[in-house]
Amino acid sequence: MAGGWIERFNLQSGISRGNYVDALKGESAAHNGEVIGIACDAANTIMISAGYHGDVKVWDFKCRQLKYKWEVGCSLLKIVFHRSNGLLATVADDLVIRLFDVIAQSEDGKWLLTSIMDGTLRIWDVILARQIDAIQVDLSITALSLSPNMDILATSHVDQNGVYMWANQVMFSGAASFASYGSGK
């Protein structure tokens, strides 16, 4: 994906089902440069791709046609797509997290979790567009994942083996915070 190339394959046969090309820009690939992320909606009707140079594109999954695109304005580092509500979070090298409504169907009460290298984990209420909690941990978080029913958070940390599990206290007490759940190993 370093050359911006995105190709779709049949999983059973391994046969190519075509590639995604941004014909409007006269390109021979989906992006001009490295592709940093790809995501699909739950019904495989759209595919979202993001390029390192700051372009986010929404494609018709089956026809491989470009439907929408926008420029973030700086280099992208990561994308996270939430299939249930159609929201796409992007992280850029300017340290700004941007949230896009890709499908225009949003469910109420969704959170966005972010971490930075100083060990701060922040929980954002997407609907209210504000931070609802912040947690400071000893080591930088390298990855995080929230369970579908939002009761358990899994994190991994710099120079640590294992996965740390956190229980969401709001599910038990009404407080919007996570508490450590086990030793992380």
Side-chain angles (χ1 to χ4, degrees), residues 19-91:
N19 58 356
Y20 295 81
V21 176
D22 186 351
L24 296 176
K25 290 180 86 175
E27 300 287 334
S28 60
H31 293 273
N32 182 16
E34 181 181 357
V35 176
I36 59 97
I38 295 176
C40 288
D41 68 339
N44 283 339
T45 57
I46 65 163
M47 192 252 319
I48 303 156
S49 63
Y52 175 76
H53 296 294
D55 53 337
V56 177
K57 299 180 180 183
V58 179
W59 307 83
D60 181 292
F61 182 79
K62 293 180 182 168
C63 299
R64 300 180 320 274
Q65 302 264 328
L66 183 61
K67 294 174 73 170
Y68 312 103
K69 65 180 176 180
W70 60 89
E71 297 288 330
V72 174
C74 55
S75 297
L76 291 173
L77 304 175
K78 184 174 182 167
I79 64 169
V80 177
F81 180 63
H82 193 276
R83 288 183 175 148
S84 296
N85 66 14
L87 296 177
L88 176 75
T90 65
V91 179

Side-chain angles (χ1 to χ4, degrees), residues 4-184:
W5 188 263
I6 301 174
E7 188 167 359
R8 192 177 75 196
F9 290 90
N10 180 291
L11 287 177
Q12 289 80 16
S13 68
I15 296 172
S16 173
R17 296 295 182 207
N19 58 356
Y20 295 81
V21 176
D22 186 351
L24 296 176
K25 290 180 86 175
E27 300 287 334
S28 60
H31 293 273
N32 182 16
E34 181 181 357
V35 176
I36 59 97
I38 295 176
C40 288
D41 68 339
N44 283 339
T45 57
I46 65 163
M47 192 252 319
I48 303 156
S49 63
Y52 175 76
H53 296 294
D55 53 337
V56 177
K57 299 180 180 183
V58 179
W59 307 83
D60 181 292
F61 182 79
K62 293 180 182 168
C63 299
R64 300 180 320 274
Q65 302 264 328
L66 183 61
K67 294 174 73 170
Y68 312 103
K69 65 180 176 180
W70 60 89
E71 297 288 330
V72 174
C74 55
S75 297
L76 291 173
L77 304 175
K78 184 174 182 167
I79 64 169
V80 177
F81 180 63
H82 193 276
R83 288 183 175 148
S84 296
N85 66 14
L87 296 177
L88 176 75
T90 65
V91 179
D93 67 356
D94 63 356
L95 304 179
V96 173
I97 297 167
R98 294 168 177 87
L99 198 59
F100 299 94
D101 191 345
V102 176
I103 300 177
Q105 293 177 306
S106 181
E107 296 176 5
D108 291 337
K110 298 299 179 192
W111 293 349
L112 176 67
L113 283 73
T114 62
S115 65
I116 56 176
M117 294 307 292
D118 72 353
T120 303
L121 170 71
R122 296 185 192 281
I123 303 166
W124 305 87
D125 185 306
V126 173
I127 304 301
L128 298 176
R130 67 178 181 93
Q131 178 182 314
I132 57 174
D133 202 358
I135 301 164
Q136 184 69 38
V137 296
D138 294 334
L139 296 168
S140 298
I141 297 171
T142 57
L144 51 91
S145 180
L146 187 60
S147 67
N149 60 359
M150 299 172 44
D151 62 342
I152 300 291
L153 172 67
T155 60
S156 62
H157 300 264
V158 170
D159 297 327
Q160 296 292 302
N161 292 327
V163 176
Y164 289 76
M165 306 299 285
W166 305 80
N168 184 352
Q169 292 178 348
V170 74
M171 298 297 186
F172 307 107
S173 68
S177 184
F178 285 87
S180 180
Y181 182 76
S183 66

